[in-house]
Amino acid sequence: MEAGEAKSKKAGGSRLCCICNQRRPVLKRPKTLQQICRECFYEVFEEEIHQVIVGNRLFKSGERVAIGASGGKDSTVLAYVLSELNRRHNYGLDLFLLSIDEGITGYRDDSLETVKRNEVQIVSYKDLYGWTMDEIVKMIGLKNNCTFCGVFRRQALDRGAALLKVDKLVTGHNADDIAETVLLNILRGDIARLSRCTSITTGEDGPIPRCKPFKYTYEKEIVMYAYFKKLDYFSTECIYSPNAYRGFAREFIKDLERLRPRAILDIIKSGEDFRIATTTKMPEQGTCERCGYISSQKWCKACVLLEGLNRGLPKMGIGRPRGSGNDQKDTKARSTAKSIESKQCGSLEF
């Protein structure tokens, strides 16, 4: 009798999915803390991304759209979901994969092989700039190498997208990434970037607009979706960035999430609500005189960095002079940066 009552009580106390109330939950959503089943997770995950796309009018029917494909979890799930939503909701998009080869031995080899199974455009630092990241790190060391990689990758994506003749470029930047960027820009006092880092579409006045459909999607949910859907992806943690400044912001965001999951969305909301005083002078965007790429300076950052590499002055354009024996060399590098008129920073036109 007691055993029967205990069994009945256990059955009655078992939880069901809070959405369908039919199946047992398999996960707790980090964003909402809802206990839901796998089928409902698929539905709400995809529907939220669809609403972000529709609500922000990210695409128009007939557009050619490139997906930045690194082979990691974010870009893999983005490519899969965007393809599904395009078919299901009849977006009318032509989708393409675009991948960047930074030239780091053992870093993206497997992921590049994976994206090659599909129709994909791959552009490399070596082809565009004449340098691989392996070669750059040998010259400059592990400190500041992320500056080169970040600047070069952004321009490489634009150039690859131009080769594909697409109308839009989408990236897998998720809510965690955007919250980290907001925090980094606050710590650096970078008002110009802080004012636009939460925009879901950027670069409308540049070569090709960039869209972030995952703006409000948590990284943990992307990992869960990839796991349940059995999507193959690879780690894209760069071997040259163990002490990157962004890493400290990422750890802080993760700590906040453990205490209060909504903290990620709250940080993004703070960035969205940020307003710049009308008296603040912002950089005016123009084009680089050397390569024609968008720039708020006479020469774009990529051209300055590349000139430094080609002249054997890799620290050109990085940081500020310090009181050391290298002051004379640093001053010469900065002086050279103002008078560069040699080859363009890339060998491909766009």
Side-chain angles (χ1 to χ4, degrees), residues 263-318:
I264 290 177
L265 294 182
D266 289 342
I267 292 174
I268 295 175
K269 177 64 175 174
S270 297
E272 291 174 336
D273 292 342
F274 181 80
R275 295 293 180 269
I276 298 176
T278 55
T279 56
T280 302
K281 186 177 180 181
M282 299 295 290
E284 295 181 6
Q285 184 167 290
T287 56
C288 174
E289 290 186 358
R290 300 179 65 216
C291 69
Y293 189 71
I294 55 173
S295 176
S296 59
Q297 304 295 327
K298 194 172 182 179
W299 295 282
C300 71
K301 190 71 170 178
C303 283
V304 174
L305 293 175
L306 186 61
E307 183 68 13
L309 290 173
N310 291 333
R311 289 177 177 268
L313 302 170
K315 292 185 179 181
M316 180 186 295
I318 295 179

Side-chain angles (χ1 to χ4, degrees), residues 42 93 121 340:
Y42 294 156
L93 305 177
Q121 173 75 47
I340 48 180

Side-chain angles (χ1 to χ4, degrees), residues 14-296:
S14 61
R15 294 181 178 179
L16 294 176
C17 171
C18 66
I19 295 179
C20 68
N21 203 33
Q22 295 179 357
R23 294 176 288 267
R24 291 179 62 85
V26 295
L27 67 112
K28 177 190 288 186
R29 295 195 68 192
K31 184 190 299 184
T32 64
L33 302 182
Q34 291 176 309
Q35 299 270 5
I36 62 177
C37 65
R38 183 179 303 188
E39 290 76 9
C40 287
F41 173 62
Y42 294 156
E43 185 176 339
V44 297
F45 183 88
E46 294 166 1
E47 181 61 20
E48 285 181 3
I49 296 168
H50 170 62
Q51 291 303 321
V52 168
I53 291 173
V54 173
N56 292 276
R57 299 179 180 178
L58 295 188
F59 310 116
K60 296 178 181 178
S61 180
E63 285 187 326
R64 293 167 59 89
V65 177
I67 302 170
S70 67
K73 62 183 184 311
D74 299 314
S75 63
T76 299
V77 173
L78 176 62
Y80 179 87
V81 172
L82 195 53
S83 177
E84 285 292 304
L85 295 179
N86 186 40
R87 174 187 55 78
R88 185 184 308 162
H89 297 286
N90 195 26
Y91 292 163
L93 305 177
D94 290 327
L95 300 175
F96 303 86
L97 295 180
L98 170 61
S99 191
I100 306 300
D101 181 3
E102 297 91 345
I104 302 177
T105 303
Y107 166 47
R108 213 187 285 284
D109 297 351
D110 291 335
S111 59
L112 285 174
E113 286 301 318
T114 298
V115 297
K116 283 178 183 177
R117 298 172 192 167
N118 303 282
E119 293 185 11
V120 60
Q121 173 75 47
I122 299 178
V123 294
S124 70
Y125 284 7
K126 188 68 173 180
D127 291 338
L128 289 176
Y129 310 114
W131 291 80
T132 66
M133 278 306 300
D134 285 342
E135 293 168 341
I136 292 172
V137 171
K138 283 182 181 179
M139 176 175 284
I140 196 170
L142 291 177
K143 187 176 181 180
N144 295 320
N145 70 85
C146 290
T147 298
F148 287 85
C149 197
V151 171
F152 287 169
R153 184 190 296 113
R154 180 173 182 81
Q155 192 175 113
L157 279 170
D158 282 337
R159 294 190 173 207
L163 289 174
L164 288 170
K165 295 181 172 60
V166 297
D167 303 293
K168 301 276 178 62
L169 172 64
V170 296
T171 61
H173 290 95
N174 56 52
D176 299 56
D177 297 328
I178 296 173
E180 291 166 12
T181 303
V182 171
L183 181 59
L184 281 172
N185 289 330
I186 290 174
L187 294 175
R188 290 168 174 163
D190 195 334
I191 296 176
R193 287 190 176 89
L194 181 58
S195 66
R196 62 176 183 266
C197 68
T198 58
S199 299
I200 195 165
T201 300
T202 57
E204 294 95 332
D205 52 353
I208 296 172
R210 294 185 179 211
C211 305
K212 294 173 279 190
F214 280 173
K215 177 182 175 180
Y216 301 109
T217 306
Y218 278 32
E219 182 180 54
K220 284 184 178 179
E221 295 201 343
I222 293 174
V223 173
M224 292 175 185
Y225 188 90
Y227 174 75
F228 288 137
K229 286 288 187 178
K230 298 181 180 179
L231 302 179
D232 292 329
Y233 68 87
F234 298 88
S235 171
T236 53
E237 190 69 26
C238 182
I239 60 176
Y240 291 141
S241 62
N243 297 313
Y245 192 39
R246 177 175 284 272
F248 298 105
R250 181 176 297 117
E251 290 180 10
F252 179 69
I253 294 294
K254 296 302 182 187
D255 289 340
L256 286 179
E257 184 185 12
R258 280 190 284 270
L259 295 173
R260 186 170 180 273
R262 286 282 307 180
I264 290 177
L265 294 182
D266 289 342
I267 292 174
I268 295 175
K269 177 64 175 174
S270 297
E272 291 174 336
D273 292 342
F274 181 80
R275 295 293 180 269
I276 298 176
T278 55
T279 56
T280 302
K281 186 177 180 181
M282 299 295 290
E284 295 181 6
Q285 184 167 290
T287 56
C288 174
E289 290 186 358
R290 300 179 65 216
C291 69
Y293 189 71
I294 55 173
S295 176
S296 59

